[in-house]
Structure formats: C-alpha cells, structure tokens
Amino acid sequence: MSQAYQRWFAQPMIYPLRALQRVLAVLTIGTIALCATPARGAPGFDWPLSPAPDVTEAFDLPPQPWLPGHRGVDLAASADQAVRAAADGVVAFAGTVAGRGVISIDHATVRTTYEPVEATVSAGDVVLRGQVIGTVIAGHPDCAVAVCLHWGVRLGEQYVDPLTLLTPHAVRLLPLTGEESSSGLPAPSAQVGAYPHGSGNTTVHPAPGGVFTSGVGPRWGTFHYGIDLAAEIGTPVYSATSGVVIAAGTASGFGQWVVIDPGADGWYLIYGHVDQYLVAAGQQVTAGQQIATVGNRGQSTGPHLHFEIRKGLYGSQRLDPQKWLSERGIDIE
C-alpha cells in the first residue's frame, strides 16, 4: 500500500468522529429542550403556557365567517410569562400586527398563533414543542383577567378549537348522587370488518346503533339539512370514510361536532351534537375509526347523531346523506 493511499485511508476516520461528536451535541441539546417542556397532552401538541393555564374565554366559532365570535381561546397568564411553541414547527411570522405582537407557527397542515407577545424568535426559525418563543405582554383587549394570552389554531382557512389538540376528550362525570364514576368510554377505534357491509368497503355506517328518526326536508318551520340517528348518549360514532379532521370541538347549534374532509372537492362530512370527540383537527382517520360518541348537546331535542354533508364549513350547498350512503351500499331507513 502506498504512503499516499495510507494517508487518504486514515483521514476519513477523523471526520466521522467529529461528526459523531456534533450529532451527540445536538441530541444532548434536544434532550435538554424536551426535558424543559411542560407536561404533555396528546402526541404533538402542548399548552403554550406552563403550568397548564385557566381558560378565561372559550372558542366560539360563529355560524358565518363575517359574524362576531371568538376564533381561539384566552389563557390566563402573567406579564412577561414565557410563551412556548405548542408543537414542532417553523415560525411563519414574528412581528407586530395593528400594534400588537404576534407569532405564527406552521406545523404541517396546522398553524398556531400567539398574541400579544414579545417575540424571541424570527420568521423561518425551526422550533421544538415546548421551546420558549417569546413572553406575554399585557393588553389583550376584552381579556377577562389582568393578563392573558390569545391562542388560535387554523387548519387551512378554517379556525378550530385549540383545546382539541391537547388531550383525549374522555371526562370524569359526576352522577346525581354526587359520587364520582368513570365515563366508561368505549375503545377509541373499531374494525371496519365489524360492519354488516363487509371489510372491503370504503364507506361505513356512522352510527350502526342509531335509529333513523329524521331526514332532509322541512321540519318545524325550518329546513333540516341532514339525517338524525337516535341512540343513547355514549353510543360510538364512526368515521363514514377515510379523511382528515377539519374541526372537532365547539360548534354553534350543534354544541359539539366533528367535521371530516374525505378529499371530495370541498364536501365535508359533519357529525353534530356529539357528547365527546376523540379526534383532533389535522388528524388523519380511516373509515370505521371511532371519532366521537352520540350526545344531546346544542339545539337538540334528544340524544342523537346529526349527519350532514356540506360544501365547506359555511356553505349553503348540501347533499342528502341518506341518498349518499345508499349509493355506497348503506341503507338508512
């Protein structure tokens, strides 16, 4: 072996060692950053304040985009309190809007926004979940307490409830006797093959245990745009198709809903009046996966699932869900 070749052969051993040292340093820093994050909720997203704050004003999506509402949540805070990235992402904006400090972070299909804040990051920065991105500034208008952070979330152009990103939505209920009991939620998913139409179908019954009580048409001096499937509170609600969750949480009229985009040119599947929702905005779901439980929330006269197909969240175009399901081998009678 020539001396030149020996020198070339020996040199590469130095670079991997240095590269390994750099990798270990990055991993160490990442570990320290993760250890500094607040207590975790559902995989991917955390509270932007630590410890978990009180919600002083809840999400209230208006029925039409031009109407007043509250397109986020207000969280009780203190002046100069650290604001943390709710999830891994890239800073899309850090600056001032109408005299108020704002930070926006893109997390794949979801964008989170924090205000009013003094930013310590810049647009283009890559941030980790739990990383400090700024500090709270007093002065959020209409805040119910002395200082609060407004936290907003958008999926595309649609505002969604930030709290749906945080935890599974099982709750502990207090019965009339005053004694605590478990909510007794069923398992979070179901096998497609358990349905009477077979495991090969891409569409399943949204509430197999429900009884059809109302279809599309005039009702009580107004117009009913979906179908109602009556069932006991807590009855599983399944995603009729595979798709992406557009919204899951508070909804005017429905009390609570889940909205899924099956990738059909803007037609959304709406599951209304649900008692508990088990998915979050931005989540991918499959046909037959449990997404909620039947409830009696909002403008409801009894426990049931309202299933509707609408063009966009606020669109006036609808399809008849009964006909839509029948065309896919699921008869609702």
Side-chain angles (χ1 to χ4, degrees):
M1 182 182 297
S2 68
Q3 290 182 349
Y5 186 80
Q6 287 176 341
R7 287 195 299 270
W8 176 87
F9 187 81
Q11 287 174 354
M13 299 302 293
I14 299 173
Y15 176 78
L17 178 59
R18 291 175 179 170
L20 179 60
Q21 289 172 337
R22 293 191 186 100
V23 170
L24 289 174
V26 171
L27 290 175
T28 301
I29 293 170
T31 301
I32 292 171
L34 290 175
C35 290
T37 60
R40 305 213 181 274
F45 284 84
D46 282 329
W47 291 100
L49 299 176
S50 181
D54 292 330
V55 178
T56 62
E57 185 171 354
F59 180 77
D60 182 19
L61 187 69
Q64 300 293 343
W66 58 84
L67 294 176
H70 196 239
R71 296 167 175 82
V73 293
D74 287 348
L75 308 176
S78 57
D80 300 323
Q81 183 174 353
V83 179
R84 301 173 182 271
D88 298 349
V90 178
V91 178
F93 178 84
T96 302
V97 177
R100 189 183 313 166
V102 177
I103 299 174
S104 295
I105 300 176
D106 285 337
H107 322 270
T109 58
V110 173
R111 170 173 287 192
T112 56
T113 303
Y114 316 76
E115 59 177 291
V117 296
E118 180 73 31
T120 56
V121 292
S122 302
D125 287 352
V126 176
V127 295
L128 299 176
R129 177 171 53 142
Q131 179 179 331
V132 175
I133 57 175
T135 55
V136 180
I137 301 173
H140 178 54
D142 302 321
C143 184
V145 294
V147 181
C148 67
L149 174 73
H150 179 82
W151 183 31
V153 174
R154 277 191 347 194
L155 180 63
E157 296 301 316
Q158 306 294 345
Y159 288 92
V160 297
D161 187 349
L163 302 187
T164 65
L165 302 177
L166 291 172
T167 59
H169 299 282
V171 297
R172 294 180 61 80
L173 303 177
L174 293 178
L176 294 178
T177 59
E179 298 177 358
E180 291 190 4
S181 66
S182 169
S183 63
L185 280 178
S189 63
Q191 296 297 322
V192 178
Y195 290 85
H197 301 292
S199 59
N201 285 9
T202 56
T203 307
V204 300
H205 196 305
V211 177
F212 177 69
T213 58
S214 184
V216 173
R219 190 179 69 173
W220 304 332
T222 183
F223 198 89
H224 188 242
Y225 289 102
I227 60 173
D228 289 346
L229 301 168
E232 294 183 1
I233 292 178
T235 300
V237 174
Y238 302 103
S239 180
T241 66
S242 297
V244 176
V245 179
I246 294 296
T250 305
S252 178
F254 290 127
Q256 292 188 155
W257 68 359
V258 174
V259 182
I260 293 178
D261 178 5
D265 298 325
W267 289 98
Y268 293 163
L269 307 185
I270 294 174
Y271 307 76
H273 305 298
V274 300
D275 187 55
Q276 295 172 335
Y277 45 97
L278 308 179
V279 292
Q283 181 177 338
Q284 187 80 35
V285 296
T286 58
Q289 179 177 338
Q290 185 177 351
I291 57 173
T293 58
V294 170
N296 190 31
R297 297 179 182 268
Q299 298 172 11
S300 173
T301 58
H304 74 284
L305 172 69
H306 174 91
F307 181 60
E308 183 176 321
I309 304 175
R310 185 188 303 177
K311 188 77 174 233
L313 280 184
Y314 304 105
S316 59
Q317 292 180 272
R318 270 92 164 185
L319 298 178
D320 185 337
Q322 191 173 6
K323 180 180 178 181
W324 184 86
L325 287 168
S326 177
E327 292 171 346
R328 289 155 179 78
I330 300 172
D331 293 326
I332 305 290
E333 298 177 349

